[in-house]
Amino acid sequence: MTVQQMTVQPMNAVDSTMWFEVCALGALGREEGVAALLPDGTQVAVFRTHDDRVFALANLDPFSGAAVLARGIVGDLGGTPVVASPMHKQHFDLRTGACVEDGTVAVPTYPVRVSGGTISLGRT
Amino acid sequence: MARTLVVVGNGMVGHRLVQAVRDRDTDGGWQVVVFAEEPRPAYDRVALTSYVDGWDPLGLQLDGAEFTDDPGVELVLGDAVASIDRAARTVTTAAGRTQPYDALALATGSAPFVPPVPGRDLPGCHVYRTIDDLDAIRASAERARAGTGRGAALVIGGGLLGLEAAKALRDMGLSPHVVELAPRLMPLQVDEGGGALLKRLIEDLDVTVHPGTSTGAIEPDRGRLLATLGNGTELDVDLVVFSAGIRPRDQLARDAGLPVGERGGILVDEACRTADPHVYAIGECANLDGRVYGLVAPGYSMAEVVADRLLGGTATFPGADMSTKLKLMGVDVASFGDAHAATEGALEVVVNDAVKGTYKKLVVSDDAKTLLGGVLVGDAADYALLRPLVGRPLPGDPGALLAPAGGGGGGVGVDALPDEAQVCSCNAVTKGAIRAAVHEQGCDDVPKLKSCTRAGASCGSCVPMLKQLLSSFGVEQSKAVCEHFTQSRAELYEIVRVTGITTFSDLIERHGTGGRGCDVCKPVAASILASLGNGHILTDGQAGLQDTNDRFLANIQRNGTYSVVPRIPGGEITPEKLLVLAQVALDFGLYTKITGGQRIDLFGATVDQLPVIWKRLVDAGFESGHAYGKSLRTVKSCVGETWCRYGVQDSVGLAVELELRYRGLRSPHKLKSGVSGCARECAEARGKDFGVIATDNGWNLYVGGNGGTMPRHADLLVSEVDKETLLRVIDRFLMFYIRTADRLQRTSAWLDAMEGGLDHLRDVVVHDSLGIAAELEAQMAEHVRGYADEWAGVLADPEKLARFTSFVNAPGAPDPTIAFREERGQRVPVLLGTPEVISR
């Protein structure tokens, strides 16, 4: 399957953000993550917290270089929603992408919205 | 050029000297040559009696005794030094080898003293000193057992060694008699009151004690031996063991013209140097200020002194603590300091509880302010705290110190100990040294203290005190799993077990500190839920708790792909199944490697390939190998008696049975096992969490072994049991571990940290001291009954299968970051460049 054939649709670009539908909210369990592929090949890790908020970070773990963050355990540290890298357990703030253990490291975040039960990722 | 140190004698003290020199001699200034009279590397002679538990000489071998990987040490076994030429500075061995030395250390130890009893040389008369002695005693005992009725044995000498020998004989199925010249047992250590209680407790254990008499003669009598005691008693016995004391082995030194003491022992100064400055003497063969020390701890101190001197130091022998604590046939005996109140004006405080079977005596100074010594029989729990207080002001009323309540020294706390107080007498570690290790080297638990200071690394009796010291030094001994739970893993396990909670959300809501949980507590809870049988680990509500390995039932590798390990029980596999593995590996381009646990690991599978691969494997009769889980991994085996000409039991058959019994069992950490078909131990079972070694008469079970960064030989738990007993004990052992261990604590660390150590473990899982054995067994029976293959469970459930996609919006699209190259004919990952990190 090539990227062009994927079920990713550019949405109306009012604010110059391109939105791509990724999956139904129901396809993502609470306090779990999934990986999504954007048309340009970017891998995004999409997480849903217990309160049904949805966050999107780069899937690439900056420490190992492997695209695995979506497979980490979702939880909280001191009230901050985080995902733990499944490789070496560094934690990333789901809201900002900041690494909890190393202040000089952060992963990119992506705009995300949920409408009509569907999760979409934004690309500016 | 390196100088040569020749060490004569390879007992515990000689070995300690070699170790100490090798540890400190970082510049390679000394080349060490060790001559051992015995044919085997140094072993733990203090624990000689435990040899009877499994007749496994390797079980006693001291750590690092072989020096195989150390070019700085040449260990010559089975060749005693016969003479010393001090002028030429050479030694010549019995086999005729002449070895020059720059420094010579005599560590020849001592020889058993055999009183001149007529008949002492008859067949069936033995001494109790070496492994060979015990083998000879065993041979006599077996001849006795082959006769009619229960055999009997006579032990001459009721001191520490004599009671050890009595225990060994009893364990060999004989009825021991102990003859002691003094009016009580262990006359050197205990007083009259303690000796009376000791006699009673020992006689309860089928040992007959004859105090206050001698052995007049031993005569042959119709294939047995007839011993006539000084009081006229005649005893028919099958063998006799002399344990009437020891004498320093100083003949070599005498022959070389070195001065010895009046009652033997090579005279040394406080640097442990003999009259010849190139010759040292250490341990039981040395005589310092007219004293010969027959305990291992002073010998170790001497070894350390000599090592220091050889490397230019100025250490001197600090004097020895002759305190003793031991467990004889389950009876605690301890004596310390001035146990016999020999000090002028000394006062005694005695608590003699005949009902509980405990005797405790403290010896204090005439003003009752200073502790001088004491004797404890029946319960020596207070020893660890009382002994270091000897010679120091009493922290409270002497009577209160012996009060039964309060545990660990009655009213004494570790805070009362001064920094110079020795906490570990085996390795001479003071409270100050522990303090330094905690504050300066960051030791924050008992295992770290052990490896850092050696405290608690020998007999382990000070481990409870180490724990108290840690908290006294402000080390938070918090067992809290993480910020979300104040409880330890063991406590959470109990909560889940007792309340029947089946979900993490219930657990954290009702017992957590608030918050949602994290990558520490979630897998812990998932493991506990799985241990207690809560269905498939990917059922709703559990999948998100699992670490990635459990979540994808495979092992994540550095490039984000996974490896696949099907179960190959006992390492036994048919050629047909090998072909299946080979074909799957070829079809999916998987790198293959044989694992250390005797199975085959297939590397490089992507998430979406896992179910396809496993469909093929499950169809061919494979099941999950749980290589990804904190659960039973493998039971390694040697080929056993079916093929091996040395094998004495079917090790493969047992390994397969064990692996199938315990497969899928979730535990605090991974579990490895092994089964060897004979004492050659080709399956390396003693490096496993639980290992089984076949004997002619059954199976020996060893527990708490580990390889890895902290290698540990497993300890013998039970010996020569039949399979049914073996399974029962393993069931209990594993369930007790699952119930009480910390998160990610292997059985080795669990056992090291356990109060009471191996004895306690044996009490619980063999003797059922907690009354939980039936429950543990029932739990394991439930596990065995409830087992189902996890991968078959995934393949049968579309919802679980749906998790195995690379991208939620592009299932089947490959992860573009994964690439392979070829190395030695197989696909391996292209190393991932670390991406540019965004700086905040």
Side-chain angles (χ1 to χ4, degrees):
Chain A
M1 180 181 284
T2 66
V3 170
Q4 281 71 31
Q5 293 170 306
M6 288 187 304
T7 56
V8 178
Q9 301 164 5
M11 312 261 295
N12 197 9
V14 177
D15 55 355
S16 85
T17 300
M18 297 273 281
W19 291 95
F20 303 97
E21 279 187 13
V22 174
C23 65
L25 181 63
L28 175 54
R30 288 201 173 100
E31 302 191 291
E32 289 192 44
V34 290
L37 193 61
L38 294 183
D40 63 356
T42 305
Q43 294 192 45
V44 180
V46 186
F47 302 99
R48 177 181 175 187
T49 50
H50 67 102
D51 48 8
D52 285 345
R53 286 186 296 164
V54 179
F55 300 92
L57 305 180
N59 195 29
L60 213 59
D61 171 17
F63 292 96
S64 66
V68 293
L69 286 189
R71 300 179 220 152
I73 289 178
V74 178
D76 63 352
L77 285 184
T80 304
V82 294
V83 61
S85 165
M87 206 61 86
H88 296 300
K89 311 295 185 230
Q90 294 91 353
H91 298 89
F92 298 92
D93 188 331
L94 293 182
R95 301 165 307 186
T96 64
C99 174
V100 175
E101 284 80 12
D102 184 343
T104 67
V105 175
V107 295
T109 59
Y110 298 91
V112 61
R113 72 182 186 197
V114 182
S115 66
T118 300
I119 301 173
S120 300
L121 294 177
R123 205 74 226 265
T124 47
Chain B
M1 196 182 135
R3 290 175 292 170
T4 301
L5 166 68
V6 169
V7 180
V8 183
N10 189 38
M12 298 175 78
V13 171
H15 177 61
R16 171 59 76 90
L17 171 62
V18 182
Q19 268 188 327
V21 169
R22 293 302 299 149
D23 282 352
R24 299 178 193 181
D25 181 20
T26 44
D27 304 333
W30 288 96
Q31 184 70 28
V32 185
V33 183
V34 187
F35 291 102
E37 180 178 39
E38 289 188 67
R40 51 180 61 89
Y43 57 90
D44 185 354
R45 209 185 299 280
V46 172
L48 186 62
T49 302
S50 70
Y51 177 51
V52 176
D53 293 338
W55 300 105
D56 173 15
L58 289 179
L60 289 181
Q61 189 166 313
L62 295 175
D63 285 342
E66 296 180 64
F67 294 104
T68 36
D69 301 326
D70 187 347
V73 179
E74 183 194 354
L75 176 60
V76 182
L77 295 176
D79 191 10
V81 169
S83 64
I84 305 168
D85 183 340
R86 292 202 285 126
R89 274 194 231 155
T90 61
V91 297
T92 301
T93 68
R97 169 170 164 182
T98 296
Q99 170 66 48
Y101 65 80
D102 296 292
L104 177 65
L106 302 174
T108 45
S110 53
F113 167 66
V114 179
V117 178
R120 62 180 183 165
D121 296 326
L122 287 169
C125 289
H126 301 275
V127 294
Y128 196 87
R129 180 86 191 149
T130 64
I131 284 181
D132 288 346
D133 291 338
L134 258 77
D135 282 334
I137 292 171
R138 182 192 194 189
S140 287
E142 274 172 3
R143 270 196 298 280
R145 278 202 304 209
T148 52
R150 187 178 170 91
L154 173 62
V155 177
I156 297 178
L160 198 148
L161 203 59
L163 293 182
E164 286 279 344
K167 171 181 166 27
L169 291 164
R170 195 188 60 138
D171 290 349
M172 288 183 224
L174 301 173
S175 295
H177 292 262
V178 177
V179 177
E180 168 56 49
L181 201 56
R184 60 178 182 276
L185 293 171
M186 295 186 71
L188 290 182
Q189 288 85 11
V190 307
D191 59 355
E192 201 174 323
L197 174 64
L198 184 59
K199 176 172 186 287
R200 206 187 89 204
L201 295 175
I202 296 287
E203 291 203 320
D204 284 346
L205 298 165
D206 186 32
V207 175
T208 313
V209 181
H210 307 267
T213 187
S214 60
T215 308
I218 303 164
E219 301 159 78
D221 181 32
R222 286 163 293 168
R224 301 183 82 195
L225 297 169
L226 177 68
T228 310
L229 304 189
N231 62 9
T233 307
E234 293 193 333
L235 298 171
D236 275 321
V237 296
D238 297 281
L239 64 104
V240 175
V241 175
F242 286 94
S243 55
I246 52 174
R247 294 291 179 266
R249 293 182 70 188
D250 53 15
Q251 194 59 45
L252 194 59
R254 287 175 193 260
D255 293 345
L258 290 169
V260 298
E262 263 174 51
R263 290 162 60 193
I266 308 159
L267 293 181
V268 294
D269 63 14
E270 59 181 9
C272 297
R273 219 173 359 220
T274 66
D276 179 336
H278 299 287
V279 184
Y280 297 85
I282 53 175
E284 295 178 349
C285 68
N287 180 326
L288 179 61
D289 290 335
R291 285 197 75 170
V292 172
Y293 296 91
L295 292 177
V296 73
Y300 280 173
S301 298
M302 293 182 188
E304 299 285 342
V305 167
V306 172
D308 182 73
R309 291 276 172 167
L310 289 172
L311 295 167
T314 57
T316 56
F317 184 65
D321 178 1
M322 298 302 280
S323 302
T324 323
K325 171 175 180 274
L326 62 158
K327 209 180 189 94
L328 287 164
M329 298 186 248
V331 180
D332 275 342
V333 181
S335 91
F336 52 96
D338 180 11
H340 296 291
T343 309
E344 173 108 25
L347 305 173
E348 299 187 357
V349 182
V350 176
V351 178
N352 190 359
D353 188 335
V355 178
K356 274 172 58 189
T358 59
Y359 175 92
K360 301 179 179 188
K361 179 179 83 172
L362 291 188
V363 178
V364 298
S365 58
D366 52 3
D367 58 0
K369 290 217 165 78
T370 306
L371 182 66
L372 298 177
V375 174
L376 305 168
V377 177
D379 172 12
D382 298 340
Y383 171 79
L385 270 165
L386 290 172
R387 186 193 46 77
L389 283 173
V390 168
R392 304 180 186 285
L394 282 168
D397 174 58
L401 293 183
L402 293 177
V412 192
V414 289
D415 292 339
L417 296 177
D419 266 7
E420 317 86 81
Q422 219 174 60
V423 172
C424 169
S425 55
C426 297
N427 294 300
V429 184
T430 60
K431 178 180 172 185
I434 304 281
R435 183 195 298 279
V438 169
H439 291 321
E440 285 155 35
Q441 288 164 284
C443 295
D444 55 7
D445 59 21
V446 170
K448 287 193 193 113
L449 280 178
K450 273 188 188 175
S451 67
C452 194
T453 65
R454 300 176 74 110
S458 294
C459 80
S461 65
C462 60
V463 167
M465 188 136 95
L466 295 179
K467 287 185 183 169
Q468 293 172 38
L469 282 171
L470 280 167
S471 47
S472 153
F473 294 149
V475 176
E476 183 90 13
Q477 290 281 75
S478 169
K479 292 283 184 183
V481 163
C482 66
E483 67 177 54
H484 302 100
F485 290 95
T486 57
Q487 299 89 342
S488 67
R489 181 204 161 274
E491 287 164 343
L492 288 180
Y493 179 92
E494 282 307 307
I495 288 171
V496 174
R497 189 176 70 86
V498 173
T499 60
I501 285 175
T502 59
T503 66
F504 178 75
S505 39
D506 265 5
L507 183 66
I508 196 165
E509 201 166 289
R510 287 160 61 182
H511 301 280
T513 59
R516 301 296 312 170
C518 65
D519 57 302
V520 173
C521 58
K522 284 184 172 184
V524 165
S527 164
I528 291 172
L529 290 170
S531 291
L532 290 166
N534 280 281
H536 199 282
I537 62 166
L538 296 187
T539 46
D540 273 349
Q542 281 191 50
L545 309 177
Q546 309 289 357
D547 261 324
T548 188
N549 284 4
D550 274 312
R551 190 167 155 199
F552 292 101
L553 308 173
N555 292 50
I556 197 167
Q557 303 298 330
R558 63 184 312 143
N559 64 347
T561 63
Y562 290 81
S563 81
V564 169
V565 187
R567 185 167 302 289
I568 301 177
E572 184 182 65
I573 186 165
T574 61
E576 290 79 4
K577 279 190 154 181
L578 274 176
L579 282 173
V580 172
L581 294 181
Q583 198 58 53
V584 166
L586 279 173
D587 292 352
F588 292 88
L590 303 175
Y591 169 95
T592 58
K593 188 169 189 313
I594 311 288
T595 72
Q598 298 185 333
R599 37 196 199 174
I600 295 169
D601 210 339
L602 311 171
F603 290 79
T606 54
V607 163
D608 47 301
Q609 286 176 327
L610 289 171
V612 197
I613 290 171
W614 270 104
K615 175 82 172 64
R616 295 264 298 269
L617 295 174
V618 168
D619 285 348
F622 284 103
E623 62 175 2
S624 166
H626 294 100
Y628 47 81
K630 305 299 180 218
S631 55
L632 180 79
R633 296 287 172 85
T634 69
V635 183
K636 184 176 175 175
S637 69
C638 69
V639 75
E641 68 167 351
T642 316
W643 287 94
C644 176
R645 65 205 159 111
Y646 299 114
V648 294
Q649 302 247 25
D650 176 15
S651 49
V652 181
L654 181 69
V656 170
E657 185 170 347
L658 291 178
E659 188 158 339
L660 296 183
R661 183 171 182 81
Y662 302 119
R663 64 186 164 180
L665 179 67
R666 286 301 198 288
S667 48
H669 209 319
K670 60 188 170 188
L671 287 166
K672 297 181 179 184
S673 180
V675 181
S676 281
C678 81
R680 285 168 186 76
E681 239 287 69
C682 296
E684 295 163 330
R686 292 197 64 201
K688 307 298 183 193
D689 294 282
F690 61 104
V692 182
I693 302 177
T695 73
D696 292 330
N697 305 311
W699 303 99
N700 285 355
L701 173 62
Y702 297 82
V703 295
N706 201 353
T709 50
M710 297 269 279
R712 183 185 192 281
H713 251 141
D715 293 315
L716 184 67
L717 188 63
V718 290
S719 59
E720 308 218 313
V721 294
D722 59 20
K723 198 181 77 186
E724 196 184 321
T725 312
L726 178 76
L727 293 182
R728 194 166 61 232
V729 175
I730 300 176
D731 282 2
R732 294 172 179 183
F733 166 75
L734 291 176
M735 276 302 173
F736 187 50
Y737 165 65
I738 289 170
R739 201 177 259 214
T740 59
D742 277 338
R743 159 184 177 265
L744 299 187
Q745 187 179 38
R746 289 290 292 272
T747 57
S748 57
W750 172 68
L751 189 50
D752 273 344
M754 186 180 292
E755 272 190 42
L758 184 67
D759 285 341
H760 176 67
L761 178 66
R762 191 180 285 117
D763 281 347
V764 173
V765 303
V766 181
H767 307 305
D768 193 17
S769 60
L770 299 180
I772 58 171
E775 203 178 303
L776 298 176
E777 283 174 40
Q779 248 182 300
M780 188 62 84
E782 190 55 42
H783 164 76
V784 174
R785 195 163 40 243
Y787 169 81
D789 174 28
E790 283 169 358
W791 260 110
V794 170
L795 296 174
D797 181 350
E799 274 186 30
K800 293 191 181 76
L801 273 175
R803 299 183 173 281
F804 292 83
T805 49
S806 51
F807 299 105
V808 68
N809 59 339
D815 176 348
T817 64
I818 294 172
F820 296 97
R821 64 191 172 87
E822 191 158 300
E823 188 174 279
R824 293 187 295 279
Q826 294 204 71
R827 291 209 313 171
V828 296
V830 170
L831 278 189
L832 299 163
T834 306
E836 198 177 327
V837 163
I838 294 177
S839 211
R840 295 165 75 202

